[in-house]
Amino acid sequence: MTSSRENPAGTAYTAPETLNDAVIRIAGNSQDGIQSVGAMLARLAGRSEMEVMTYMTIPATISGGPSIFQVHMGSGRVLSAGDAADILVAFYQHSYDDHLESLRDGGVLLYDSTNVEPDLDVLRERRITPVPVPMTSLTIEILGGTGKKKGKNIFLLGLIAQTFRLDMDKIRRLLAEVFGHKDESVLRNALLALEGGYAYSIGDMLSFFTFEEPRLAEGEAAVTKVTMTGNQALAYGAIAAGIRFGAAYPITPWTEVMEQLRCDLPGYRGSFIQTEDELAGIAAALGAAYGGVPAMTGSSGPGLALKSEAISFAVMAEIPLLIVDVQRGGPSTGLPTNVEQSDLNLALHAGHGDAPRVVLAAANVEDCFHLVIEAVRIAHEYSVPVIFLSDQAIATRIEAFPFPDLTSVVRFPGAMPVIADSYKPYSLDRITRHLPPGSRILDGKYPNVTGLEHDESGHPSANSKVHMAMTAKRRTKLEVLAETLPCPEVRGPESGELLLVGWGSTMGVIREAVDRAAAKGACYSAVHLRYLNPLPPGLEELFRHFERVLVVEMNDRDTNGCGQLARVLRAQYALPHVGGITKTDGLSFRIGELLSRIEETVDSRPSAAGPPAEPANFSH
Amino acid sequence: MVHTVNDTPMCAEPRPPLTRADLKADRPTWCPGCGDFSVLAIYHKLLEKKNLPQESIVTLSGIGCSSRFPYFVNTHSVHFIHGRILPFATGLSLSRPDLHPIVFIGDGDAYSIGGNHFDHCARKNVRLMVVVMDNQVYGLTKKQTSPTSPVGFKSKTDPWGSKVAPINPTKKLVSSGATFVARTAASNPNHMLEMMEAALEHDGFSVVECFSECVQFNPGSFDAAVPRKGGSYPPVPADHDITDEEEAYALTREPFPGYFGIYYKVDRPTLNETETGLAADPVSDSDPDAVRSRLEASLRRLT
Ligand SMILES: Cc1ncc(C[n+]2csc(CCOP(=O)(O)OP(=O)(O)O)c2C)c(N)n1
Ligand code: SF4
Ligand SMILES: [Mg+2]
């Protein structure tokens, strides 16, 4: 798939290329509507047989600033947002200066010649085709003075439609959906700008690319797809999971989840409230969960840290709760709009005392929908808090995925009040399942739900035997859960030289790296973990079948070269050949980058495989 | 055996009234003579008097001597963490309008670690009743200065006497928007019952600030409010307008022991009410198909 794009020296400018997939990077300022045109392209791709994945950066300041949107669309399985762009669209000189690097050799530079002056020597050297289009002045011509700021993005959409022969009817329909509810002139102008871009002659460029929009094979049924960001998927997944109450405090990049739920939950007789702080957020969610209403809270790293005392309560009192952490760069306020996977330690350990909880991590946008349903199921079946990790990259990127089958995924895990003869909330012979208040207990003994260590009825007890038994009860249920978890699927052979282990948003990149390495004759395998606590069965066996295991993650390494998950796995299985590839630049891995990091790591450090060394003798 | 409420005939049965025996639970662990005993006794009396269905009462607390409360009353109960029971109770109140959540906490829990939550519950007017058992000291942790300890109070953290001004609970409550603010004392059971009853009947965020003496670490602190100990128990003046914020502030400025009674009571839409009316035609989980088609419609917009 990717090799067809490699442009052998000397053939550029002449031979037309057929692309299976294309990466378009649009660079401008945030107020240019780049995000919205990117989102429309993604939605269009989702409405065709194309796969799509996007990536965007937004400035941390509200007032605007450089911004990009990258769309990767194609006919194969699009796994990542793509490395080098096939087409770079540069609105300004700074866009050109900052992003020319990201354009592949032999690619196309489409630039606003009103604002950008490219260095033609460099372009020639890199066999890049320059396509100057006076976008600003043309848009002003079409729309009048307002076109200087508005409409350029839609003009660009027309240009892209022309280049990739996208279905114009679909685009017109989409514009009608997006602008239809506004003043009539808005849609009219958008259509004008679109047609202008579509009609503008960039004929030459067409000869360098032919991009066929994939068509269905004979007898193949069209798959309806939904196109959304990870944060949207998370919100809808929560609704499908049966969440009917939420409470949280805003923080980037978590906020859109709560905004979406705030708007949507009332339609399901639910509610999502904005609380005064994160402590109140988790407390209110726990209150609803205690009431038998499936509930959630969420935040990013700083807020999860604040919630930790209540997480320990949820463990102790055995209250089912979904806690989302959309990770960003840390520590402290850190890098609010960058990606990092550095909250794993916090997710696993936030809270005091022995406080076993479940931790899951979404691998992509689709996962945000489906895995959050699994998280809510586990929370309710085991009466335990479940921490659900997403990250900035998944939160903001747009993917298309098959329309979920709602008959099978929509759940109603809430607990209704009942009438019981008698009731012990913390009975030792079963997994705790609270009767919600409102339940009538006929023997007249009403239950206490408490954060103090307690006996089976919920009465405080500092008795050693009780504490031991209850601590074990809270631990054992996770052992029971672990046995039910699916062994993660291995991509590639089940034994060999190198196994890459991933979690979270790195899945697509790791898979593309494995595929690309395979095309060059290197045989790597990969496994992606969604259940981070408890870990699924079979991992130790799997790890033993490889000479080397490298955990790829976006966080910092310890003195053994291990990132946060690598350290957990190394400790869990006492396997010294588990190591890591980590990074802290606040950006997602690129495929090329990952491949060279793998090569470096494999070359530089000899594999520590083999039987673990004798334990050190510390006696004097 | 467990039945669902709807499919059992038992809920239709007439029930004998709630008695003190029904409400009896663990034996209180407070020091003999602690004011909290009488708050508990009055709570039992209140529940007996109101005769609410026992299963619909939820007694909630934070952490402190006073917060041991839930173990001593036989209702559904929650002993949460220090300072956070108000948001917990908010979540319960909003999601289970059929219940009667009643919170008992100490002055440290309410006004120090949980102070922020108090302001916001008041401002949002959550349907919730709160009794602050104010002993002007940290009892459970054995005598540290509390946010209501008076200047000069000698504690283990202020052996030379506290030098900072205490907060004025009723003033704080009125200014943050509580729609029911009353003041009472455990030494006056009848008045306490009257205030708690009015608070329970109030539709909104109702707070009863209640002096409850810590005989262990702050003995005699409220003698000035106990007539039989030579003090006085001045009632809120008969001509006080409980709906007038300025008049309420005037009461809060009275020096110790101050007035006892209802300072402020107004009607304002509760958060419970405003949250319920947000969607025009909400679907219910009791109609799974309707839920699915609503979600389906939302997702369709993203195709
Ligand atoms: C997070 C946290 N901080 C501190 C404590 C210790 N602690 C328990 S109760 C309390 C103060 C109790 O004072 P108050 O709320 O006035 O209740 P009282 O015991 O006087 O009734 C403190 C500091 C705790 N349990 N949790
Ligand atoms: S220490 Fe004070 S508040 Fe606590 S039980 Fe004893 S008398 Fe009551
Ligand atoms: Mg106190």
Side-chain angles (χ1 to χ4, degrees), chain A residues 47 227 244 262 267-269 271 274 276 283-284 291 417-421 437-439 444 446-450 459, chain B residues 1 3 5 26 55 71 74 76-79 87-88 91 96 116-117 124 275 282-285 294-295 302-303:
Chain A
R47 284 178 180 184
T227 308
R244 293 295 178 266
R262 171 89 189 132
Y268 299 84
R269 289 184 199 276
S271 122
Q274 178 181 333
E276 54 273 26
V418 295
I419 296 178
D421 293 334
S439 296
Y446 282 85
N448 297 310
V449 165
T450 171
H459 288 104
Chain B
M1 253 266 291
H3 322 263
V5 170
D26 292 4
E55 68 275 11
Y71 300 111
N74 187 25
H76 283 283
S77 70
V78 180
H79 188 205
F88 184 102
R96 288 293 305 278
N116 191 33
H117 307 310
K124 293 178 177 180
E275 281 294 302
V283 293
S284 156
D285 287 344
R294 164 117 347 158
L295 184 56
L302 299 172
T303 56

Short mmCIF file of all heavy atoms in Angstrom, two decimals, chain A residues 47 227 244 262 267-269 271 274 276 283-284 291 417-421 437-439 444 446-450 459, chain B residues 1 3 5 26 55 71 74 76-79 87-88 91 96 116-117 124 275 282-285 294-295 302-303:
data_model
loop_
_atom_site.label_atom_id
_atom_site.label_comp_id
_atom_site.label_asym_id
_atom_site.label_seq_id
_atom_site.Cartn_x
_atom_site.Cartn_y
_atom_site.Cartn_z
N ARG A 47 -18.51 8.45 4.39
CA ARG A 47 -19.73 8.18 3.63
C ARG A 47 -19.45 7.42 2.35
O ARG A 47 -20.34 7.15 1.58
CB ARG A 47 -20.44 9.49 3.28
CG ARG A 47 -21.14 10.07 4.48
CD ARG A 47 -21.79 11.36 4.14
NE ARG A 47 -22.45 11.89 5.32
CZ ARG A 47 -23.18 12.99 5.34
NH1 ARG A 47 -23.36 13.67 4.22
NH2 ARG A 47 -23.74 13.40 6.44
N THR A 227 -18.86 8.78 11.60
CA THR A 227 -17.59 9.49 11.60
C THR A 227 -17.59 10.46 12.77
O THR A 227 -18.47 11.31 12.86
CB THR A 227 -17.45 10.29 10.29
OG1 THR A 227 -17.69 9.40 9.20
CG2 THR A 227 -16.07 10.87 10.15
N ARG A 244 -26.42 7.13 33.04
CA ARG A 244 -27.51 8.11 33.07
C ARG A 244 -27.22 9.28 33.99
O ARG A 244 -28.03 10.17 34.16
CB ARG A 244 -28.81 7.42 33.51
CG ARG A 244 -29.33 6.41 32.48
CD ARG A 244 -29.74 7.09 31.16
NE ARG A 244 -30.19 6.13 30.17
CZ ARG A 244 -29.39 5.60 29.23
NH1 ARG A 244 -28.12 5.96 29.15
NH2 ARG A 244 -29.86 4.74 28.36
N ARG A 262 -23.67 16.48 28.64
CA ARG A 262 -24.54 17.50 29.24
C ARG A 262 -25.74 17.77 28.32
O ARG A 262 -26.86 17.92 28.76
CB ARG A 262 -23.73 18.79 29.46
CG ARG A 262 -24.57 20.00 29.87
CD ARG A 262 -24.73 20.09 31.37
NE ARG A 262 -25.68 21.10 31.78
CZ ARG A 262 -26.65 20.90 32.68
NH1 ARG A 262 -26.80 19.72 33.25
NH2 ARG A 262 -27.45 21.86 33.01
N GLY A 267 -32.09 13.91 27.38
CA GLY A 267 -32.99 13.22 26.46
C GLY A 267 -33.24 11.78 26.85
O GLY A 267 -34.12 11.12 26.31
N TYR A 268 -32.44 11.27 27.78
CA TYR A 268 -32.60 9.89 28.27
C TYR A 268 -33.02 9.90 29.74
O TYR A 268 -32.73 8.99 30.49
CB TYR A 268 -31.29 9.12 28.10
CG TYR A 268 -30.83 9.03 26.66
CD1 TYR A 268 -30.11 10.07 26.07
CD2 TYR A 268 -31.12 7.91 25.87
CE1 TYR A 268 -29.70 10.01 24.75
CE2 TYR A 268 -30.71 7.84 24.56
CZ TYR A 268 -30.01 8.89 23.99
OH TYR A 268 -29.60 8.82 22.68
N ARG A 269 -33.64 10.96 30.16
CA ARG A 269 -34.00 11.16 31.57
C ARG A 269 -32.79 11.10 32.48
O ARG A 269 -32.87 10.66 33.62
CB ARG A 269 -35.03 10.12 32.04
CG ARG A 269 -36.39 10.34 31.44
CD ARG A 269 -37.40 9.34 32.01
NE ARG A 269 -38.55 9.25 31.12
CZ ARG A 269 -39.56 10.08 31.13
NH1 ARG A 269 -39.61 11.07 32.00
NH2 ARG A 269 -40.54 9.93 30.27
N SER A 271 -28.81 13.05 33.54
CA SER A 271 -28.26 14.39 33.65
C SER A 271 -26.76 14.34 33.88
O SER A 271 -26.23 13.37 34.42
CB SER A 271 -29.03 15.17 34.72
OG SER A 271 -28.22 15.63 35.74
N GLN A 274 -22.13 20.01 35.80
CA GLN A 274 -20.81 20.61 35.97
C GLN A 274 -20.66 20.98 37.44
O GLN A 274 -21.41 21.80 37.96
CB GLN A 274 -20.68 21.85 35.10
CG GLN A 274 -19.35 22.55 35.27
CD GLN A 274 -19.23 23.79 34.41
OE1 GLN A 274 -19.85 23.89 33.36
NE2 GLN A 274 -18.43 24.74 34.86
N GLU A 276 -18.37 22.03 41.07
CA GLU A 276 -17.45 23.10 41.45
C GLU A 276 -16.00 22.68 41.34
O GLU A 276 -15.11 23.52 41.24
CB GLU A 276 -17.76 23.60 42.86
CG GLU A 276 -17.79 22.53 43.95
CD GLU A 276 -19.15 21.86 44.10
OE1 GLU A 276 -19.90 21.83 43.11
OE2 GLU A 276 -19.45 21.36 45.20
N ALA A 283 -17.59 12.71 43.67
CA ALA A 283 -18.50 12.46 44.80
C ALA A 283 -19.95 12.40 44.31
O ALA A 283 -20.71 11.51 44.70
CB ALA A 283 -18.34 13.54 45.87
N ALA A 284 -20.33 13.33 43.45
CA ALA A 284 -21.71 13.34 42.95
C ALA A 284 -21.98 12.08 42.13
O ALA A 284 -23.06 11.47 42.23
CB ALA A 284 -21.96 14.59 42.11
N GLY A 291 -27.17 5.34 44.37
CA GLY A 291 -28.62 5.33 44.16
C GLY A 291 -29.07 4.31 43.12
O GLY A 291 -30.26 4.20 42.85
N PRO A 417 -34.80 -0.37 43.06
CA PRO A 417 -35.13 -0.76 44.43
C PRO A 417 -35.96 -2.04 44.44
O PRO A 417 -36.75 -2.27 43.53
CB PRO A 417 -35.97 0.41 44.94
CG PRO A 417 -35.72 1.53 44.02
CD PRO A 417 -35.35 0.94 42.70
N VAL A 418 -35.72 -2.84 45.45
CA VAL A 418 -36.43 -4.12 45.55
C VAL A 418 -36.95 -4.28 46.98
O VAL A 418 -36.71 -3.44 47.83
CB VAL A 418 -35.49 -5.30 45.24
CG1 VAL A 418 -35.03 -5.27 43.80
CG2 VAL A 418 -34.30 -5.30 46.19
N ILE A 419 -37.64 -5.38 47.19
CA ILE A 419 -38.02 -5.74 48.56
C ILE A 419 -37.28 -7.03 48.88
O ILE A 419 -37.34 -8.00 48.12
CB ILE A 419 -39.53 -5.95 48.67
CG1 ILE A 419 -40.23 -4.62 48.40
CG2 ILE A 419 -39.90 -6.48 50.05
CD1 ILE A 419 -41.74 -4.70 48.43
N ALA A 420 -36.51 -7.02 49.95
CA ALA A 420 -35.72 -8.19 50.30
C ALA A 420 -36.06 -8.61 51.72
O ALA A 420 -36.39 -7.77 52.56
CB ALA A 420 -34.24 -7.88 50.19
N ASP A 421 -35.97 -9.92 51.97
CA ASP A 421 -36.24 -10.39 53.33
C ASP A 421 -35.17 -9.88 54.28
O ASP A 421 -35.45 -9.39 55.36
CB ASP A 421 -36.28 -11.92 53.36
CG ASP A 421 -37.48 -12.44 52.58
OD1 ASP A 421 -38.47 -11.68 52.48
OD2 ASP A 421 -37.42 -13.55 52.05
N PRO A 437 -30.81 2.36 47.74
CA PRO A 437 -31.75 2.90 48.71
C PRO A 437 -33.13 2.96 48.08
O PRO A 437 -33.26 3.09 46.86
CB PRO A 437 -31.21 4.30 49.00
CG PRO A 437 -30.28 4.61 47.87
CD PRO A 437 -29.74 3.31 47.40
N GLY A 438 -34.13 2.86 48.92
CA GLY A 438 -35.49 2.71 48.40
C GLY A 438 -35.89 1.24 48.48
O GLY A 438 -37.07 0.91 48.43
N SER A 439 -34.87 0.38 48.62
CA SER A 439 -35.17 -1.04 48.77
C SER A 439 -35.66 -1.28 50.19
O SER A 439 -35.08 -0.78 51.15
CB SER A 439 -33.91 -1.89 48.54
OG SER A 439 -33.48 -1.75 47.21
N GLY A 444 -35.94 -5.55 58.69
CA GLY A 444 -35.78 -4.26 59.36
C GLY A 444 -34.35 -3.83 59.59
O GLY A 444 -34.11 -2.85 60.28
N TYR A 446 -31.36 -2.15 57.94
CA TYR A 446 -30.96 -1.40 56.73
C TYR A 446 -29.45 -1.29 56.62
O TYR A 446 -28.76 -1.18 57.63
CB TYR A 446 -31.65 -0.02 56.73
CG TYR A 446 -33.09 -0.17 56.29
CD1 TYR A 446 -34.09 -0.51 57.20
CD2 TYR A 446 -33.42 -0.08 54.95
CE1 TYR A 446 -35.39 -0.72 56.79
CE2 TYR A 446 -34.72 -0.29 54.53
CZ TYR A 446 -35.70 -0.61 55.44
OH TYR A 446 -36.98 -0.83 55.01
N PRO A 447 -28.94 -1.34 55.38
CA PRO A 447 -27.48 -1.42 55.20
C PRO A 447 -26.76 -0.08 55.29
O PRO A 447 -27.29 0.96 54.92
CB PRO A 447 -27.35 -1.98 53.77
CG PRO A 447 -28.58 -1.52 53.07
CD PRO A 447 -29.67 -1.44 54.11
N ASN A 448 -25.50 -0.14 55.79
CA ASN A 448 -24.60 1.00 55.75
C ASN A 448 -23.64 0.79 54.59
O ASN A 448 -23.11 -0.29 54.42
CB ASN A 448 -23.72 1.06 57.01
CG ASN A 448 -24.54 1.25 58.26
OD1 ASN A 448 -25.39 2.12 58.32
ND2 ASN A 448 -24.30 0.41 59.26
N VAL A 449 -23.42 1.84 53.85
CA VAL A 449 -22.38 1.81 52.83
C VAL A 449 -21.29 2.73 53.34
O VAL A 449 -21.55 3.89 53.66
CB VAL A 449 -22.93 2.26 51.47
CG1 VAL A 449 -21.81 2.58 50.50
CG2 VAL A 449 -23.84 1.17 50.90
N THR A 450 -20.09 2.20 53.46
CA THR A 450 -19.09 2.95 54.22
C THR A 450 -17.66 2.79 53.72
O THR A 450 -17.32 1.77 53.13
CB THR A 450 -19.15 2.54 55.71
OG1 THR A 450 -18.04 3.11 56.40
CG2 THR A 450 -19.11 1.03 55.88
N HIS A 459 -21.11 -2.70 59.15
CA HIS A 459 -20.76 -2.08 60.43
C HIS A 459 -19.26 -1.93 60.53
O HIS A 459 -18.53 -2.83 60.14
CB HIS A 459 -21.30 -2.91 61.60
CG HIS A 459 -22.76 -2.81 61.73
ND1 HIS A 459 -23.62 -3.80 61.35
CD2 HIS A 459 -23.54 -1.78 62.15
CE1 HIS A 459 -24.86 -3.41 61.54
NE2 HIS A 459 -24.85 -2.18 62.01
N MET B 1 -34.55 -13.64 49.89
CA MET B 1 -35.39 -13.48 48.70
C MET B 1 -35.50 -12.01 48.32
O MET B 1 -35.60 -11.15 49.17
CB MET B 1 -36.79 -14.01 49.00
CG MET B 1 -37.12 -15.31 48.35
SD MET B 1 -37.94 -15.29 46.80
CE MET B 1 -39.57 -14.72 47.04
N HIS B 3 -37.56 -9.32 45.78
CA HIS B 3 -38.63 -9.06 44.82
C HIS B 3 -38.42 -7.67 44.25
O HIS B 3 -37.84 -6.83 44.91
CB HIS B 3 -40.01 -9.08 45.50
CG HIS B 3 -40.15 -10.12 46.56
ND1 HIS B 3 -40.72 -11.33 46.33
CD2 HIS B 3 -39.76 -10.11 47.86
CE1 HIS B 3 -40.70 -12.04 47.45
NE2 HIS B 3 -40.11 -11.33 48.39
N VAL B 5 -39.90 -4.04 43.43
CA VAL B 5 -40.94 -3.29 44.13
C VAL B 5 -42.27 -3.34 43.37
O VAL B 5 -43.33 -3.46 43.95
CB VAL B 5 -40.49 -1.84 44.31
CG1 VAL B 5 -41.64 -0.98 44.81
CG2 VAL B 5 -39.35 -1.78 45.30
N ASP B 26 -27.04 0.66 65.86
CA ASP B 26 -25.90 0.47 66.78
C ASP B 26 -25.98 1.44 67.95
O ASP B 26 -26.50 2.54 67.82
CB ASP B 26 -24.57 0.71 66.05
CG ASP B 26 -24.31 -0.35 65.01
OD1 ASP B 26 -25.19 -1.22 64.80
OD2 ASP B 26 -23.23 -0.30 64.39
N GLU B 55 -37.68 2.89 54.02
CA GLU B 55 -36.68 2.63 52.97
C GLU B 55 -36.35 3.86 52.13
O GLU B 55 -35.40 3.86 51.36
CB GLU B 55 -37.15 1.48 52.07
CG GLU B 55 -38.37 1.77 51.19
CD GLU B 55 -39.70 1.55 51.93
OE1 GLU B 55 -39.69 1.37 53.16
OE2 GLU B 55 -40.75 1.54 51.25
N TYR B 71 -24.53 5.21 61.61
CA TYR B 71 -24.55 3.87 62.20
C TYR B 71 -25.59 3.76 63.31
O TYR B 71 -25.94 2.67 63.72
CB TYR B 71 -23.17 3.52 62.78
CG TYR B 71 -22.07 3.53 61.74
CD1 TYR B 71 -21.08 4.49 61.77
CD2 TYR B 71 -22.05 2.57 60.73
CE1 TYR B 71 -20.08 4.52 60.81
CE2 TYR B 71 -21.05 2.58 59.76
CZ TYR B 71 -20.07 3.56 59.81
OH TYR B 71 -19.09 3.58 58.86
N ASN B 74 -31.37 3.34 61.98
CA ASN B 74 -31.62 2.23 61.07
C ASN B 74 -32.36 2.69 59.81
O ASN B 74 -33.56 2.53 59.67
CB ASN B 74 -32.42 1.17 61.81
CG ASN B 74 -32.58 -0.09 60.99
OD1 ASN B 74 -31.76 -0.37 60.12
ND2 ASN B 74 -33.63 -0.83 61.25
N HIS B 76 -31.29 3.36 55.31
CA HIS B 76 -30.20 3.27 54.34
C HIS B 76 -29.23 4.37 54.70
O HIS B 76 -29.66 5.51 54.99
CB HIS B 76 -30.72 3.52 52.92
CG HIS B 76 -31.44 2.33 52.34
ND1 HIS B 76 -30.78 1.22 51.86
CD2 HIS B 76 -32.76 2.08 52.16
CE1 HIS B 76 -31.65 0.34 51.41
NE2 HIS B 76 -32.88 0.82 51.58
N SER B 77 -27.94 4.06 54.72
CA SER B 77 -27.04 5.11 55.18
C SER B 77 -25.67 5.04 54.52
O SER B 77 -25.25 3.98 54.05
CB SER B 77 -26.91 5.06 56.69
OG SER B 77 -26.19 3.90 57.04
N VAL B 78 -25.04 6.19 54.48
CA VAL B 78 -23.72 6.28 53.85
C VAL B 78 -22.78 7.06 54.75
O VAL B 78 -23.11 8.16 55.21
CB VAL B 78 -23.80 7.02 52.49
CG1 VAL B 78 -22.41 7.12 51.86
CG2 VAL B 78 -24.75 6.32 51.54
N HIS B 79 -21.64 6.48 55.01
CA HIS B 79 -20.57 7.15 55.75
C HIS B 79 -19.46 7.39 54.73
O HIS B 79 -18.70 6.50 54.40
CB HIS B 79 -20.11 6.21 56.87
CG HIS B 79 -19.16 6.85 57.83
ND1 HIS B 79 -18.26 6.12 58.57
CD2 HIS B 79 -18.98 8.14 58.21
CE1 HIS B 79 -17.55 6.93 59.35
NE2 HIS B 79 -17.97 8.16 59.15
N PRO B 87 -21.60 16.98 47.81
CA PRO B 87 -21.74 16.58 46.40
C PRO B 87 -22.24 15.15 46.25
O PRO B 87 -23.00 14.86 45.31
CB PRO B 87 -20.34 16.76 45.82
CG PRO B 87 -19.43 17.00 46.96
CD PRO B 87 -20.25 17.50 48.10
N PHE B 88 -21.84 14.25 47.14
CA PHE B 88 -22.35 12.88 47.07
C PHE B 88 -23.88 12.90 47.17
O PHE B 88 -24.60 12.32 46.35
CB PHE B 88 -21.75 12.04 48.20
CG PHE B 88 -22.12 10.58 48.18
CD1 PHE B 88 -21.24 9.62 47.71
CD2 PHE B 88 -23.37 10.15 48.65
CE1 PHE B 88 -21.58 8.27 47.70
CE2 PHE B 88 -23.72 8.80 48.63
CZ PHE B 88 -22.82 7.86 48.16
N GLY B 91 -25.60 14.13 44.02
CA GLY B 91 -25.76 13.09 42.99
C GLY B 91 -26.93 12.19 43.31
O GLY B 91 -27.72 11.82 42.44
N ARG B 96 -32.24 10.31 42.29
CA ARG B 96 -33.30 9.53 42.96
C ARG B 96 -34.26 10.47 43.69
O ARG B 96 -34.26 10.56 44.93
CB ARG B 96 -32.66 8.53 43.94
CG ARG B 96 -31.95 7.35 43.28
CD ARG B 96 -32.89 6.42 42.53
NE ARG B 96 -33.96 5.93 43.40
CZ ARG B 96 -33.82 4.91 44.24
NH1 ARG B 96 -32.69 4.24 44.29
NH2 ARG B 96 -34.82 4.53 45.00
N ASN B 116 -16.17 24.68 50.18
CA ASN B 116 -16.50 25.03 48.79
C ASN B 116 -17.80 24.37 48.34
O ASN B 116 -18.62 24.97 47.65
CB ASN B 116 -15.33 24.58 47.90
CG ASN B 116 -15.43 25.11 46.50
OD1 ASN B 116 -15.94 26.20 46.28
ND2 ASN B 116 -14.97 24.33 45.53
N HIS B 117 -17.97 23.11 48.77
CA HIS B 117 -19.18 22.40 48.34
C HIS B 117 -20.43 23.03 48.95
O HIS B 117 -21.49 23.04 48.34
CB HIS B 117 -19.09 20.93 48.74
CG HIS B 117 -17.84 20.27 48.25
ND1 HIS B 117 -17.42 20.37 46.94
CD2 HIS B 117 -16.91 19.53 48.89
CE1 HIS B 117 -16.29 19.70 46.80
NE2 HIS B 117 -15.95 19.19 47.96
N LYS B 124 -26.85 26.35 44.05
CA LYS B 124 -27.62 25.55 43.10
C LYS B 124 -28.97 25.13 43.67
O LYS B 124 -29.80 24.58 42.96
CB LYS B 124 -26.82 24.31 42.70
CG LYS B 124 -25.57 24.64 41.90
CD LYS B 124 -24.78 23.39 41.56
CE LYS B 124 -23.57 23.75 40.70
NZ LYS B 124 -22.77 22.56 40.35
N GLU B 275 -32.99 20.67 36.38
CA GLU B 275 -32.33 19.61 35.63
C GLU B 275 -33.35 18.70 34.95
O GLU B 275 -33.05 18.08 33.93
CB GLU B 275 -31.45 18.75 36.55
CG GLU B 275 -30.12 19.39 36.87
CD GLU B 275 -29.21 19.52 35.65
OE1 GLU B 275 -28.90 18.51 35.02
OE2 GLU B 275 -28.84 20.66 35.33
N PRO B 282 -38.04 13.41 26.76
CA PRO B 282 -37.04 12.39 27.13
C PRO B 282 -37.59 10.97 27.01
O PRO B 282 -38.77 10.74 27.21
CB PRO B 282 -36.71 12.72 28.58
CG PRO B 282 -37.88 13.47 29.10
CD PRO B 282 -38.47 14.20 27.92
N VAL B 283 -36.69 10.04 26.66
CA VAL B 283 -37.09 8.63 26.62
C VAL B 283 -36.67 7.98 27.93
O VAL B 283 -35.76 8.46 28.61
CB VAL B 283 -36.44 7.88 25.44
CG1 VAL B 283 -36.98 8.40 24.13
CG2 VAL B 283 -34.92 7.96 25.50
N SER B 284 -37.33 6.89 28.27
CA SER B 284 -37.04 6.24 29.54
C SER B 284 -36.45 4.85 29.31
O SER B 284 -36.80 4.17 28.35
CB SER B 284 -38.34 6.13 30.34
OG SER B 284 -38.24 5.07 31.26
N ASP B 285 -35.57 4.45 30.21
CA ASP B 285 -34.96 3.13 30.09
C ASP B 285 -35.98 2.00 30.20
O ASP B 285 -35.70 0.87 29.82
CB ASP B 285 -33.88 2.94 31.16
CG ASP B 285 -32.63 3.77 30.84
OD1 ASP B 285 -32.50 4.20 29.68
OD2 ASP B 285 -31.81 3.98 31.76
N ARG B 294 -33.52 6.64 19.91
CA ARG B 294 -32.96 7.98 20.15
C ARG B 294 -31.46 8.00 19.87
O ARG B 294 -30.95 8.89 19.21
CB ARG B 294 -33.24 8.39 21.60
CG ARG B 294 -32.41 9.54 22.06
CD ARG B 294 -33.13 10.80 22.44
NE ARG B 294 -34.50 10.93 22.07
CZ ARG B 294 -35.35 11.74 22.68
NH1 ARG B 294 -34.94 12.47 23.70
NH2 ARG B 294 -36.59 11.84 22.27
N LEU B 295 -30.76 6.99 20.37
CA LEU B 295 -29.31 6.93 20.16
C LEU B 295 -29.00 6.74 18.68
O LEU B 295 -28.10 7.36 18.13
CB LEU B 295 -28.71 5.79 21.00
CG LEU B 295 -27.19 5.64 20.98
CD1 LEU B 295 -26.50 6.93 21.39
CD2 LEU B 295 -26.76 4.50 21.90
N LEU B 302 -24.24 11.51 12.34
CA LEU B 302 -22.78 11.47 12.16
C LEU B 302 -22.37 10.52 11.05
O LEU B 302 -21.21 10.14 10.94
CB LEU B 302 -22.11 11.07 13.47
CG LEU B 302 -22.37 12.03 14.65
CD1 LEU B 302 -21.84 11.44 15.94
CD2 LEU B 302 -21.73 13.38 14.37
N THR B 303 -23.33 10.09 10.24
CA THR B 303 -22.97 9.19 9.14
C THR B 303 -22.64 10.01 7.91
O THR B 303 -22.97 11.18 7.84
CB THR B 303 -24.09 8.20 8.79
OG1 THR B 303 -25.26 8.96 8.51
CG2 THR B 303 -24.34 7.25 9.94
#
